[in-house]
């Protein structure tokens, strides 16, 4: 009997990781009913991170915090013992914007700090910030303020929200925020390796996705650069160096703020793969099916499908990928995947925001994989 591990990330805009896994499983079992399937819904630090954690040993809890525009939002986080996982997208994500109206200059990360405070009050000694999918580009200023940092204008007034508020920063004191996290293991789980500043920095790369015009991107980039200078002038010796560390630009600069508080960057994909016992499942699988909404250049920087493929390669387990779209040439995907199927090759319709169509096409991909790679006797035929 062939054993298959189905372990995708979300298909953003259409299906959660669990929904994608179930659709693939349905199609595969229609064509190979004797196959044994393990299903694992995964995440790499963006949306779906709490759900992925709760598929393991964590339990969900809810808290009301400040959303990206200052309105209260109810966010879910995950708890296991004294470890708390906070999903930034669930607090200040693009999906939390009222009416979907983007606020690139004023969106705040203040709610993340409030969630951290709540975790600390509950006795957490490990806090995991899952960084991705946010509406903010404030360098984590809102997070720092919530934890007691002084970020003030010339007259001593606390700066306003977002990158626009950060532009007015004149006085900085991180002492209280740093003291709040003393002795806490702060893990910054991210799927991107952008620095804070420069042409590959958070404003330049992600600002347009958050609604920023070209002039607003420059405004945000200047505000973040000024933030680094003010920190250095205030005696934060590591301010400039940390801005260049891969991951500092994650989640609009939340990665940078986390580093200022002593946090350590970790691959979000590897964190969840370890958390959910992927290595054990790989060891008993004949092949793996993974996927995400888009296989592209960013995928090669360590996003979930590639991170999983690297682990599988160490165990000699072949991996097949399914994506909403694939913009990588075959010679580049071949280094990780035995085969790649893209939903855009199966339909002329736009399935990016159509959950029913995406699920139908993923089931079709599952049947194709079974037909091509699983023999009638229940063994993989493509090895």
């Amino acid at each position: 009997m062939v054993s298959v591990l189905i372990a995708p990330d979300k298909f953003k805009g259409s299906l959660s990781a669990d929904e994608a896994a179930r659709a693939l499983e349905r199609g595969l079992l229609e064509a190979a009913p004797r196959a044994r399937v393990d299903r694992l819904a995964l995440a790499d630090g963006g949306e779906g991170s709490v759900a992925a954690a709760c598929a393991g040993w964590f339990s969900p809890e809810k808290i009301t915090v400040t959303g990206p525009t200052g309105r209260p939002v109810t966010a879910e986080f995950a708890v296991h013992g004294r470890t708390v996982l906070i999903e930034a997208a669930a607090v200040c994500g693009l999906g939390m914007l009222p009416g979907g109206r983007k606020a690139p200059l004023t969106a705040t990360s203040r709610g993340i700090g409030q969630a951290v405070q709540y975790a600390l009050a509950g006795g957490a000694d490990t806090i995991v910030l899952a960084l991705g999918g946010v509406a903010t580009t404030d360098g984590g200023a809102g997070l720092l303020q919530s934890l007691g940092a002084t970020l003030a204008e010339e007259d001593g007034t606390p700066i306003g929200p977002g990158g626009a508020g950060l532009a007015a920063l004149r006085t900085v004191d991180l002492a209280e925020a740093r003291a709040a996290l003393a002795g806490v293991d702060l893990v910054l789980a991210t799927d991107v390796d952008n620095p804070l500043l420069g042409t590959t920095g958070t404003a330049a790369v992600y600002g347009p996705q958050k609604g920023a015009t070209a002039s607003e991107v420059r405004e945000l980039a200047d505000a973040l650069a000024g933030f680094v200078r003010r920190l250095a002038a205030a005696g934060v010796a590591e301010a400039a160096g940390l801005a260049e560390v891969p991951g500092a630009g994650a989640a609009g600069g939340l990665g940078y703020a986390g580093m200022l508080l002593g946090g350590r960057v970790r691959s979000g994909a590897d964190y969840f793969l370890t958390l959910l016992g992927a290595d054990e499942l790989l060891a008993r699988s004949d092949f793996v099916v993974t996927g995400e909404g888009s296989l592209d250049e960013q995928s090669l920087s360590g996003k979930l499908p590639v991170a999983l493929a690297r682990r599988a390669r160490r165990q000699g387990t072949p991996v097949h990928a399914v994506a909403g779209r694939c913009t990588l040439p075959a010679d580049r995907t071949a280094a990780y995947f035995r085969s790649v199927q893209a939903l855009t090759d199966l339909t002329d319709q736009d399935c990016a925001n159509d959950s029913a169509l995406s699920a139908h096409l993923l089931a079709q991909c599952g049947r194709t994989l079974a037909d091509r790679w699983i023999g009638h006797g229940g063994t993989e035929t493509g090895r």
Side-chain angles (χ1 to χ4, degrees), residues 148-171:
T150 298
L151 302 178
E153 299 182 11
E154 190 72 47
D155 62 0
T157 303
I159 62 170
L166 198 59
L169 178 66
R170 296 296 179 271
T171 303

Side-chain angles (χ1 to χ4, degrees), residues 95-352:
M96 307 304 290
L97 292 166
R101 296 183 61 182
K102 295 178 179 178
L105 295 179
T106 56
T108 178
S109 61
R110 182 174 289 273
I112 302 293
Q114 293 168 348
V116 169
Q117 282 183 314
Y118 185 86
L120 293 172
D125 59 15
T126 300
I127 297 176
V128 182
L129 297 184
L131 303 180
V134 301
T136 60
T137 312
D138 69 348
L143 159 69
L144 295 170
Q145 286 178 300
S146 287
L147 293 172
T150 298
L151 302 178
E153 299 182 11
E154 190 72 47
D155 62 0
T157 303
I159 62 170
L166 198 59
L169 178 66
R170 296 296 179 271
T171 303
V172 179
D173 186 347
L174 302 183
E176 188 173 335
R178 286 178 155 178
L181 284 163
V184 174
D185 183 14
L186 180 62
V187 180
L188 310 171
T190 178
D191 63 350
V192 302
D193 56 7
N194 304 81
L196 184 69
L197 307 175
T199 57
T200 59
T202 190
V205 175
Y206 302 110
Q209 299 175 16
K210 300 170 186 180
T213 64
S215 62
E216 288 171 337
V217 166
R218 290 192 293 273
E219 183 177 345
L220 290 167
D222 288 345
L224 292 169
F227 183 29
V228 175
R229 289 195 298 272
R230 294 290 176 186
L231 285 164
V236 182
E238 68 273 29
L242 289 178
E244 298 176 359
V245 174
L254 272 168
Y256 181 63
M259 291 179 198
L260 290 170
L261 296 174
R264 56 190 177 94
V265 176
R266 184 171 177 187
S267 160
D270 282 328
Y271 176 81
F272 284 103
L273 288 170
T274 299
L275 176 72
L276 299 174
D279 288 332
E280 292 82 356
L281 291 172
L282 287 169
R284 73 185 198 195
S285 299
D286 294 302
F287 75 86
V288 179
V289 183
T290 188
E292 63 178 345
S294 178
L295 275 176
D296 50 35
E297 286 292 334
Q298 285 191 0
S299 301
L300 302 181
S301 297
K303 288 205 169 186
L304 191 282
V306 168
L308 179 59
R310 286 172 175 157
R311 290 198 179 203
R313 182 167 55 197
R314 292 198 291 266
Q315 301 201 29
T317 308
V319 180
H320 303 267
V322 178
R325 63 169 189 150
C326 179
T327 61
L328 295 170
D331 63 331
R332 302 194 71 189
T333 60
Y336 303 100
F337 308 114
R338 185 69 63 86
S339 71
V340 176
Q341 296 181 77
L343 303 191
T344 51
D345 294 334
L346 304 178
T347 180
D348 293 330
Q349 301 179 57
D350 181 8
C351 59

Side-chain angles (χ1 to χ4, degrees), residues 8-13 15-17 41-52 85 87-96 130-135 189 191 209 272 303:
D9 197 350
K10 65 187 174 299
F11 280 59
K12 190 172 182 178
L15 297 173
S16 69
L42 291 170
D44 54 18
E47 300 95 326
S49 293
V50 165
L85 183 143
E87 179 183 318
V91 174
C92 57
L94 289 165
M96 307 304 290
L131 303 180
V134 301
D191 63 350
Q209 299 175 16
F272 284 103
K303 288 205 169 186

